[in-house]
């Protein structure tokens, strides 16, 4: 199976690209498109193979898909302006907030509960960079609650990491510089992997 550097631990998981996915952010965008206030009532948002019937103020939803109905709770998270908010699903399996839910084994669940990875994550170099960023964020910057503050966000996509209370600014700035460097290295490697994949596809298509 291989060690962590081989990427084998990721290959034991499924890939998100292989499963149906719903996005909680699209529910708010759908409501905004009709220019209705959030307390308007019940919305019926079409998705591939069915629809989501939801009430933003009551934080409830039902997913109608393939002739079945799946109840799902919603969670509103206030933005910094104190007026607007973000909308997330509550994973029926673990109870955590998540932007995306994936249908697996007749249940909509978050990516972690469904044990899914992005296909690009199954490349050893990217996985190693993610582990480095995770260690830096959780152990060095002591940001253990990042997954609660940014549900559905991957470790390489964090845009804000608060300074630990008793850490000197000089040390914090140095750690953040290291984190940004790892982000850029990840982005470069990710883009190179995509270009190689597109190149292979182009050659196959002739």
């Amino acid at each position: 199976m291989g060690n962590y550097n081989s990427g084998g631990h990721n290959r034991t998981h499924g890939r998100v690209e292989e499963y149906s996915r719903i996005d909680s952010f699209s529910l708010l965008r759908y409501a905004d498109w009709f220019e209705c206030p959030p307390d308007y009532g019940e919305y019926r948002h079409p998705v591939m193979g069915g629809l989501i019937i939801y009430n933003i103020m009551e934080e409830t939803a039902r997913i109608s898909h393939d002739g079945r109905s799946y109840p799902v709770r919603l969670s509103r998270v206030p933005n910094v302006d104190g007026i607007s908010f973000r909308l997330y699903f509550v994973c029926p399996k673990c109870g955590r907030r998540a932007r995306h839910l994936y249908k697996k084994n007749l249940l909509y669940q978050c990516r972690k509960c469904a044990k899914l990875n992005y296909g690009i994550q199954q490349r050893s170099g990217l996985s190693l960079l993610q582990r480095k960023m995770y260690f830096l964020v959780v152990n060095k910057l002591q940001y253990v609650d990042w997954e609660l503050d940014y549900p559905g966000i991957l470790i390489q996509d964090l845009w804000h990491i608060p300074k630990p209370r008793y850490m000197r600014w000089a040390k914090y700035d140095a750690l953040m510089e290291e984190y940004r460097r790892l982000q850029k290295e990840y982005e470069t490697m990710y883009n190179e992997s995509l270009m190689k994949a597109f190149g292979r596809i182009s050659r196959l298509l002739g």
Side-chain angles (χ1 to χ4, degrees), residues 35-118:
E35 298 181 349
C36 294
D39 59 351
Y40 174 77
E42 194 172 80
Y43 292 93
R44 301 172 68 87
H45 176 33
V47 294
M48 185 173 293
L51 55 87
I52 304 175
I53 305 166
Y54 62 103
N55 188 304
I56 296 175
M57 297 306 292
E58 294 182 2
E59 299 185 343
T60 59
R62 298 192 316 276
I63 305 168
S64 177
H65 194 269
D66 294 338
R68 297 174 62 93
S69 182
Y70 308 83
V72 178
R73 289 193 296 123
L74 303 174
S75 175
R76 289 178 294 159
V77 179
N79 288 322
V80 293
D81 60 11
I83 301 174
S84 61
F85 57 87
R86 289 162 288 159
L87 191 67
Y88 293 94
F89 293 116
V90 177
C91 175
K93 196 168 184 179
C94 68
R96 288 192 296 254
R97 290 196 303 263
R99 174 179 174 178
H100 299 114
L101 293 182
Y102 300 84
K103 186 184 180 186
K104 184 180 181 183
N105 299 329
L106 299 179
L107 177 67
Y108 278 94
Q109 51 197 297
C110 68
R111 187 172 63 87
K112 285 192 173 182
C113 289
K115 296 183 179 180
L116 301 178
N117 285 323
Y118 294 98

